[in-house]
Amino acid sequence: MSKNRNAAIIGSGMSEFSSHREDVNQPEMIHEAVIEALRDADIALEDVDCLLHGNMELFEMVHQPDMWHVLGDGARGKSGLRLTTGGTTGITLACAADNLVASGLHDVVLAIGFEKLQEGHTTGGITNMADPLWGRSLQTGALTGTGAQKVIDEFGEERAKLAAMKYRTIMDEHAMRNEKAHRRLRLERQYIKETADNSPPLVGELRMIHMCSQSDGACAVVFASEEKVRALGANPAWIVDHETVHREETMVFGSMLSTQRAAAERLFARAGIANPRGDIDVFEMYDPSAWWGVDWLRDFLLLEGDEHLKMIENDEIVLDGPFPVNPSGGVIASNPIGATALVRVAEAAMQVRGTAGAHQVSKPVRRALASGFGGTLWTVLMLLSKEKPERRVNTHG
Amino acid sequence: MAEETSVPERIVSRQVLAIPQRFSTGPVMGRFLRELRDHKRIMANKCPKCGRHQLPPREVCAVCHVEATGWEELPPEGAIRDFDVVYYASPDPLTGETRQVPYVLCWVDLDGTQGDAPLWHLLNVENLAEVRRGVRVRVVFADERHGTTEDIRHFEIIREEASPGAGTGAES
Amino acid sequence: MANRVAICAVAQTKFEACKRDVRTQGLLWEVVKDVRAQTGLDFGPGGIAGAVTVSDDVFDARTISDGAVTDLVGAHFGSEEKVAADGAQGVYYAAATVLSGHHDVVLLAGHCKESQPASRNMVTHLAFDPFYTRPVGLDYLCAAALQAQAYMARSGVSETQLAEVVVRARQWAARNPVAQETAAVTREEVLASPMIADPIREKFMYPVSDGAIAMILASETHARRLTDKPVWITGLGNCYDSFFLGERDLAGNFALERAAQRAYAMAGVSAPETAFDLAEIADQYAHQLPQYAEGLGLCPEGCGGRWLDEGGPDRQRVNRSGGMIAGNPLILGGLARVAEAVIQLRDEAGERQVAHAQRAVAQGATGPAGQLQTVVVLER
């Protein structure tokens, strides 16, 4: 079976991201993102026929929050769905938007991810993802040092720590060019070692400086059918394909298979991508920490050995480099969890559409990749392109 | 005017929201907890197809998509596969109380375990420098047990002078 | 629309007030195993390509409630996406994943144990905003009571008529092997049940319920391979109303009318009063049976009372399952309605079977006083 029809991203918007958006309530914060997305797409709310909504209820302790948030997103009278899959929620919304447009059920879909983490306890909320019968007394939210330990074991302490901090510093350099980014620290490369040593340890070798932020924020993205793209004369970032790879609920590190690699292998095989670093121009990765960012780069790009470390050491992943990673500054800079993975898709689309402003990469962008992370090491990948994709035959059943 | 430049007070509404729960344990997890409480036995269930253990036991083998119907007792000793030394003081969602730090969590391959099924629990250790992969540890059970995973109080490192009958499945 | 989508298998647990002997995973596995046995499908290439689940973090008291079931729905190194709303929304999304061409065969699986939290109302209380509507103590029960007052005042539906709705629901539930409340009641017994939230009496509301439902959805080519009785999803529609109850016409059906219009337009239904051989309505509360029948166009607006008196529910074969008022968890109410429609259209409904059923409509609701409505048209 082939894709029924093409879908594209034609606009996106983000609220201000900050640790404490106490100046707005939840619907008001969502409203900021919705208005900006509609303006970016140059459409009115009337043009939207379906809204998608997602976050995690236990962070803010609001049940079915799409009900209340109608006040801010304008869903009254419109179709809609609420999908949540943990940290991957935002990119699951993007996959769902693609499916809903491609299905023919809807022409213009507005996907909204949000989180107002300061309204609850983030680490406590994540800890509640453990089974109530085991693990809740043990889990520390999403914090673990095993990711750091894995890189250290393989490449030695000095090289591993330098790579993680180099990655962290590059992300901050990118964030400095993104006015929406929550944390802009002005880190300096010459003080990498001191910065790490002075940062409080969280778990093992994972320090505060390595870890993603806790942010309040919302992101909204407009998806449209091929016919609508034409009718609106929109500037599209086409959706080529997406792949979701979840895992069972136990957190087993070490010998575990990688969902990042599995998702990339499947997606690239279908999209005919033989050389990810050559065939893809920019990557927005859901990097919950510098350590995981470093480690997963290898899996997502199907690399072996220390090629991923060399990419970091040789400045290949910087904004003006040959393979820019997270021109936005990534998740370490801004992390309103239910929005975070949708921000990755929005940022990838901005790069394709050439609308990223001060953090637009210098090379031409034909294809962009966005990833989501959540649950017990789950991955969702989405591939976007400047050129309208051929509607290929679906080979994954 | 002067009033227009001042920021109005932003009122924050503080609420504690909690709903008491009663979680069924079911026949699979229920058996695991019953064996812990009544016999200080660590029972893993087992996939009849691929033979992997599941700890904690779960209804279905995620790899083979069949019910994990077998059961085997695993010894309360094994080797550390992975560990976390936690410095960040987070709340225990079961009690609401902030945890004392630092503490050590470890994933332990109990001797004879088939597949990836390490038992995850606290490690009671004074000297953090002793915590390494491959270190042999044993389960210390709680004196009073209630049918929860806290019936395992923690792991402790096995000292060489006191390692009677160490298992044969230790990592080489 | 180029592609078609069919429901090829359905399984439901028996719905019960408290399934204390099984945890949610065991509950869900029962129905997943069942639909796999019906279709002979395994997970993976050539089989079930992905799962759409339905569950609720607050009811499950678990962040990422679908994390508990990935192993059961084939999502260990596979695809799973959770719809956090009434299960009819799960049907909507699962159908979209097939119509889009992304998946050929999809598992839809939902679970909920309403008996787990101390109170269902404590859960739905949290759906209200923290500043304005929580402080006055609203929950979905109270919202439904306000809706009932408004609807009964406008339509003239009486308490006695609502009691008859319950009496009839029990009669049909007794013929449904998965129904929860199957004991016969008299009108007098219903009217003597305690007043919970005026005008809602205890027997006017759906009981606390535990259960799980699974379905297999497939594209046309695969559907014909999987079953000789595919049930086609020919119409889908949903719609939100506004949030604040005071801003809504609680006696009306703003969202449901639009959801129905969308589903009927897709299915080519122009005269809903006569278009369906059966209808399944998510009557969480007795007054919602006539109210939502109006919204679905089964009877004229404002005529729900007359519709009840003139035998509308029997004539139009509404809720032969016993309805939601016989007992389904909140988030599975619409999914159970779709399940019953499929069973009827497959001619597998036993002593409650509607003869020669060709086309059915099923409705589900999410949120306070049905703020989000979903309508599904199904045909054999």
Side-chain angles (χ1 to χ4, degrees):
Chain A
M1 202 157 73
S2 64
K3 190 166 181 174
N4 186 49
R5 64 173 179 173
N6 276 314
I9 291 169
I10 61 166
S12 62
M14 295 170 210
S15 72
E16 183 193 326
F17 296 155
S18 150
S19 62
H20 285 73
R21 289 300 313 276
E22 287 177 353
D23 53 327
V24 286
N25 64 28
Q26 293 174 26
E28 288 166 349
M29 189 178 74
I30 285 169
H31 190 69
E32 290 177 9
V34 168
I35 291 297
E36 188 173 287
L38 295 175
R39 281 195 188 128
D40 187 36
D42 197 19
I43 59 170
L45 187 60
E46 290 69 44
D47 297 316
V48 175
D49 56 69
C50 179
L51 282 91
L52 303 181
H53 182 282
N55 78 311
M56 274 153 280
E57 290 91 337
L58 299 188
F59 283 135
E60 296 87 5
M61 288 300 276
V62 180
H63 185 228
Q64 298 184 340
D66 49 329
M67 299 300 150
W68 172 28
H69 295 174
V70 163
L71 300 178
D73 63 26
R76 179 178 184 268
K78 298 189 186 298
S79 285
L81 283 161
R82 177 169 160 78
L83 292 107
T84 73
T85 56
T88 41
T89 290
I91 195 164
T92 297
L93 294 172
C95 297
D98 178 50
N99 287 336
L100 285 161
V101 171
S103 72
L105 287 169
H106 296 290
D107 294 326
V108 179
V109 174
L110 179 65
I112 302 161
F114 95 100
E115 215 73 72
K116 213 150 181 272
L117 289 174
Q118 59 95 6
E119 296 196 351
H121 193 290
T122 305
T123 298
I126 299 174
T127 300
N128 275 324
M129 69 179 270
D131 190 286
L133 303 179
W134 56 273
R136 285 198 184 174
S137 61
L138 304 175
Q139 189 161 343
T140 314
L143 300 175
T144 174
T146 53
Q149 199 56 48
K150 183 180 169 219
V151 183
I152 290 169
D153 284 353
E154 191 172 350
F155 300 105
E157 190 163 333
E158 191 181 353
R159 189 180 182 198
K161 284 183 171 177
L162 273 174
M165 275 310 291
K166 176 83 180 286
Y167 180 93
R168 177 66 189 89
T169 307
I170 292 169
M171 291 305 115
D172 188 58
E173 289 166 358
H174 292 178
M176 292 303 298
R177 290 168 65 166
N178 176 8
E179 60 177 16
K180 292 276 186 184
H182 163 192
R183 288 197 305 183
R184 288 139 54 99
L185 303 178
R186 218 177 281 282
L187 297 179
E188 292 182 41
R189 291 188 178 205
Q190 68 205 65
Y191 301 124
I192 276 181
K193 201 173 173 308
E194 291 81 350
T195 305
D197 290 346
N198 293 330
S199 176
L202 297 173
V203 180
E205 289 298 338
L206 176 73
R207 291 172 182 268
M208 190 78 91
I209 190 69
H210 300 126
M211 194 61 191
C212 59
S213 63
Q214 293 179 12
S215 311
D216 291 356
C219 178
V221 178
V222 182
F223 297 76
S225 66
E226 191 172 331
E227 295 79 4
K228 275 284 176 189
V229 169
R230 214 178 305 120
L232 293 165
N235 169 15
W238 298 100
I239 296 165
V240 179
D241 203 351
H242 47 89
E243 179 71 22
T244 296
V245 181
H246 286 187
R247 277 187 71 258
E248 63 182 327
E249 66 176 315
T250 47
M251 291 273 210
V252 181
F253 303 99
S255 63
M256 201 188 66
L257 291 166
S258 151
T259 58
Q260 291 83 18
R261 192 171 283 264
E265 283 173 350
R266 293 175 197 178
L267 185 72
F268 297 167
R270 291 205 300 274
I273 288 178
N275 170 22
R277 274 190 288 181
D279 297 340
I280 296 166
D281 301 300
V282 58
F283 180 23
E284 271 288 334
M285 173 172 34
Y286 193 128
D287 51 349
S289 77
W291 289 105
W292 272 345
V294 169
D295 190 34
W296 295 349
L297 196 55
R298 178 166 66 176
D299 285 329
F300 279 128
L301 300 179
L302 309 181
L303 304 175
E304 302 294 338
D306 66 349
E307 287 180 78
H308 59 309
L309 291 195
K310 286 182 190 155
M311 285 177 72
I312 296 162
E313 289 160 352
N314 298 337
D315 278 338
E316 288 174 41
I317 65 165
V318 302
L319 210 136
D320 298 319
F323 191 86
V325 174
N326 290 358
S328 65
V331 184
I332 303 176
S334 313
N335 187 28
I337 301 181
T340 299
L342 188 60
V343 174
R344 305 281 72 70
V345 175
E347 289 284 354
M350 284 157 64
Q351 294 292 341
V352 171
R353 299 174 68 229
T355 59
H359 64 286
Q360 179 72 39
V361 303
S362 49
K363 66 191 274 200
V365 176
R366 290 181 311 118
R367 287 205 195 91
L369 184 68
S371 80
F373 158 81
T376 49
L377 304 171
W378 299 346
T379 295
V380 183
L381 273 183
M382 179 172 271
L383 184 64
L384 305 176
S385 85
K386 184 114 189 144
E387 276 170 45
K388 192 174 71 183
E390 296 293 317
R391 287 192 287 120
R392 57 170 176 74
V393 173
N394 180 345
T395 53
H396 70 310
Chain B
M1 289 188 295
E3 292 98 312
E4 285 180 357
T5 56
S6 68
V7 177
E9 182 192 1
R10 290 164 184 162
I11 295 173
V12 172
S13 169
R14 299 198 181 276
Q15 303 176 12
V16 175
L17 304 167
I19 303 172
Q21 304 286 326
R22 188 183 55 193
F23 295 108
S24 298
T25 63
V28 178
M29 195 62 195
R31 177 170 176 181
F32 173 78
L33 295 173
R34 208 168 52 242
E35 295 277 359
L36 266 188
R37 183 190 63 187
D38 297 345
H39 306 293
K40 294 201 267 190
R41 276 203 291 254
I42 298 167
M43 297 294 292
N45 74 347
K46 191 170 172 145
C47 173
K49 207 166 159 192
C50 69
R52 75 165 181 156
H53 285 120
Q54 300 204 112
L55 210 55
R58 302 180 298 285
E59 285 78 357
V60 166
C61 171
V63 176
C64 303
H65 316 134
V66 297
E67 275 167 54
T69 47
W71 286 90
E72 270 175 20
E73 183 181 354
L74 293 175
E77 292 186 7
I80 293 176
R81 169 203 283 236
D82 263 314
F83 61 90
D84 268 338
V85 181
V86 182
Y87 302 98
Y88 175 77
S90 67
D92 181 336
L94 301 180
T95 63
E97 285 174 27
T98 301
R99 292 154 165 153
Q100 293 286 317
V101 290
Y103 59 93
V104 180
L105 294 168
C106 59
W107 289 263
V108 173
D109 290 317
L110 298 178
D111 297 338
T113 301
Q114 300 293 309
D116 290 330
L119 182 62
W120 185 29
H121 222 289
L122 294 162
L123 176 68
N124 185 37
V125 61
E126 289 280 314
N127 180 6
L128 294 179
E130 287 184 298
V131 188
R132 294 184 314 276
R133 289 178 173 169
V135 166
R136 304 250 338 135
V137 294
R138 76 162 70 83
V139 167
V140 177
F141 291 94
D143 295 332
E144 282 189 32
R145 296 180 303 281
H146 306 283
T148 74
T149 50
E150 279 70 61
D151 290 354
I152 294 172
R153 193 192 294 159
H154 49 243
F155 286 104
E156 66 180 13
I157 293 175
I158 299 173
R159 306 291 163 191
E160 292 207 355
E161 63 273 18
S163 57
T168 51
E171 283 189 3
S172 53
Chain C
M1 202 170 303
N3 298 328
R4 295 178 79 200
V5 57
I7 298 174
C8 302
V10 166
Q12 303 175 88
T13 63
K14 181 165 175 60
F15 293 96
E16 293 177 290
C18 179
K19 290 178 178 285
R20 71 171 64 233
D21 292 335
V22 60
R23 64 179 194 146
T24 48
Q25 288 90 337
L27 202 60
L28 191 68
W29 178 244
E30 183 185 329
V31 290
V32 170
K33 194 166 60 170
D34 193 333
V35 292
R36 279 181 57 201
Q38 289 178 43
T39 55
L41 285 167
D42 195 1
F43 300 103
I48 298 166
V52 173
T53 61
V54 175
S55 62
D56 184 297
D57 286 13
V58 187
F59 271 116
D60 282 11
R62 178 170 182 151
T63 299
I64 323 178
S65 56
D66 48 331
V69 303
T70 47
D71 50 354
L72 310 171
V73 301
H76 184 55
F77 285 84
S79 171
E80 179 272 335
E81 296 170 309
K82 182 183 88 180
V83 172
D86 170 70
Q89 290 285 90
V91 173
Y92 195 103
Y93 182 59
T97 67
V98 174
L99 293 173
S100 69
H102 192 68
H103 289 318
D104 289 323
V105 181
V106 174
L107 169 69
L108 172 62
H111 73 263
C112 188
K113 287 184 83 172
E114 286 189 336
S115 68
Q116 188 176 287
S119 154
R120 183 170 65 195
N121 297 338
M122 290 174 81
V123 172
T124 62
H125 172 64
L126 296 179
F128 290 88
D129 81 274
F131 325 116
Y132 189 59
T133 48
R134 263 187 213 168
V136 296
L138 279 173
D139 53 30
Y140 287 0
L141 169 64
C142 293
L146 293 168
Q147 181 192 37
Q149 287 181 12
Y151 176 70
M152 289 167 77
R154 185 181 303 175
S155 66
V157 166
S158 69
E159 195 180 46
T160 309
Q161 285 175 303
L162 295 186
E164 292 289 357
V165 167
V166 179
V167 170
R168 176 179 176 275
R170 295 293 185 88
Q171 288 166 352
W172 283 112
R175 302 181 209 183
N176 180 0
V178 301
Q180 180 170 327
E181 297 290 347
T182 56
V185 287
T186 64
R187 190 170 67 186
E188 291 68 31
E189 284 167 342
V190 175
L191 291 173
S193 67
M195 186 65 82
I196 304 295
D198 195 1
I200 294 176
R201 294 181 178 278
E202 186 183 58
K203 286 194 165 46
F204 289 162
M205 66 181 192
Y206 70 121
V208 167
S209 180
D210 293 354
I213 302 175
M215 298 182 187
I216 298 287
L217 282 78
S219 62
E220 183 160 14
T221 318
H222 290 261
R224 298 204 186 277
R225 176 174 65 84
L226 293 172
T227 177
D228 53 6
K229 291 191 283 189
V231 171
W232 304 98
I233 297 172
T234 56
L236 288 165
N238 60 22
C239 185
Y240 281 98
D241 200 342
S242 195
F243 172 67
F244 286 127
L245 299 173
E247 290 176 358
R248 291 166 53 182
D249 176 10
L250 286 180
N253 283 293
F254 174 86
L256 180 53
E257 283 168 6
R258 280 157 184 79
Q261 280 162 13
R262 288 164 192 164
Y264 296 167
M266 183 174 159
V269 168
S270 53
E273 268 188 71
T274 54
F276 304 109
D277 299 298
L278 66 125
E280 282 286 323
I281 293 177
D283 52 345
Q284 296 161 7
Y285 303 90
H287 71 276
Q288 292 173 342
L289 189 84
Q291 183 174 1
Y292 293 166
E294 290 181 25
L296 286 166
L298 301 181
C299 68
E301 190 182 341
C303 297
R306 204 173 75 213
W307 179 73
L308 289 175
D309 282 342
E310 292 175 353
D314 287 329
R315 192 176 61 248
Q316 289 170 315
R317 294 158 299 274
V318 176
N319 285 10
R320 286 221 176 167
S321 62
M324 190 163 170
I325 202 164
N328 302 121
L330 179 64
I331 64 160
L332 298 185
L335 191 54
R337 308 280 71 72
V338 174
E340 172 68 10
V342 172
I343 292 165
Q344 290 283 358
L345 293 170
R346 287 170 68 99
D347 221 3
E348 293 171 352
E351 46 178 344
R352 64 184 194 286
Q353 180 65 46
V354 174
H356 315 297
Q358 296 290 328
R359 181 152 66 182
V361 62
Q363 170 258 342
T366 305
Q371 188 185 339
L372 172 59
Q373 293 281 349
T374 314
V375 175
V376 184
V377 178
L378 302 117
E379 296 178 58
R380 67 190 291 175

